[in-house]
Amino acid sequence: MSYLHNVEQWLDNVVIGLNLCPFAAKPRRKGQIRIAIYETDSLETLMENIYQELIRLDETPVCDLDTSLVVCPNVLQDFDEYNQFLDMVDALIRQCDRDGIYQVASFHPDYYFYGTQPDDAENLTNRAPYPIFHLIREDSMEKVLAHYPDPEGIPERNIEKMNALSEKDVRRLFPFLFSKP
């Protein structure tokens, strides 16, 4: 299967299908989510790719492009390295004077939250088939949050959903966690 297929399957079945992000279905339906797959093995090139995605977001009306998923299947397989690079992406956003305009959400096959064990179910909320940097327009987020009841409760509800999944559900929804070499 292709990288794109795997990311779309994760997006549709996990993120939207489990309603982990209650704001993703509408832009997905409208074709406003860009899935940008960069097969580089260079971190320098990846940073340039992320910069170009920020420029693309700047230059494209929100009605055509609301958000970008930057997928990097060939680098940052180690979660600690990914987290360090995430800090650099945040710094890039600040350096480009885009702080308050864009934010980045993070997804990784080995994602785990501080204070959790790697196998804790709650980590599934941010597990994806590949390292992904989700570039989000803050204006778009503010608009949807203004009309959503109890957005602060989303993380807790998502943790409950992950804990309620059976082993069979986890294997079906997250096949990439079980096919590692």
Side-chain angles (χ1 to χ4, degrees):
M1 287 191 220
S2 72
Y3 296 134
L4 179 61
H5 174 80
N6 292 338
V7 173
E8 287 179 327
Q9 186 175 32
W10 165 77
L11 181 61
D12 293 337
N13 296 341
V14 176
V15 177
I16 294 171
L18 295 177
N19 201 31
L20 296 181
C21 178
F23 321 117
K26 185 176 181 181
R28 176 77 168 139
R29 233 182 2 262
K30 294 174 114 185
Q32 297 168 312
I33 298 175
R34 175 173 156 77
I35 300 173
I37 298 170
Y38 293 106
E39 296 186 49
T40 182
D41 59 3
S42 160
L43 295 180
E44 184 177 315
T45 301
L46 177 60
M47 187 61 75
E48 176 62 29
N49 296 146
I50 292 170
Y51 173 74
Q52 291 302 323
E53 286 301 315
L54 291 171
I55 298 300
R56 182 185 311 276
L57 284 165
D58 279 346
E59 295 175 348
T60 308
V62 70
C63 62
D64 295 327
L65 176 62
D66 191 33
T67 191
S68 287
L69 297 174
V70 177
V71 181
C72 46
N74 297 328
V75 292
L76 301 170
Q77 299 305 311
D78 179 83
F79 183 62
D80 291 330
E81 290 176 17
Y82 172 86
N83 262 340
Q84 292 172 6
F85 192 82
L86 179 61
D87 290 339
M88 294 170 53
V89 173
D90 284 331
L92 173 69
I93 290 171
R94 287 190 303 278
Q95 186 179 19
C96 294
D97 291 325
R98 296 297 183 264
D99 199 27
I101 297 171
Y102 302 112
Q103 61 180 269
V104 62
S106 54
F107 301 93
H108 191 278
D110 297 322
Y111 197 100
Y112 67 93
F113 292 100
Y114 179 78
T116 66
Q117 294 299 312
D119 290 336
D120 288 351
E122 65 195 77
N123 295 316
L124 293 171
T125 62
N126 286 62
R127 296 249 169 116
Y130 312 105
I132 297 175
F133 299 94
H134 180 191
L135 303 175
I136 303 166
R137 294 180 191 261
E138 289 201 11
D139 282 351
S140 294
M141 187 58 66
E142 288 175 16
K143 285 177 187 171
V144 296
L145 287 174
H147 302 289
Y148 189 81
D150 189 28
E152 296 82 18
I154 293 171
E156 186 175 311
R157 288 189 296 274
N158 287 346
I159 290 169
E160 289 172 10
K161 288 174 192 173
M162 296 300 102
N163 282 311
L165 293 175
S166 70
E167 177 69 23
K168 184 178 178 182
D169 292 334
V170 172
R171 286 185 173 278
R172 178 179 52 81
L173 293 167
F174 300 91
F176 52 88
L177 296 178
F178 302 96
S179 61
K180 291 182 179 183

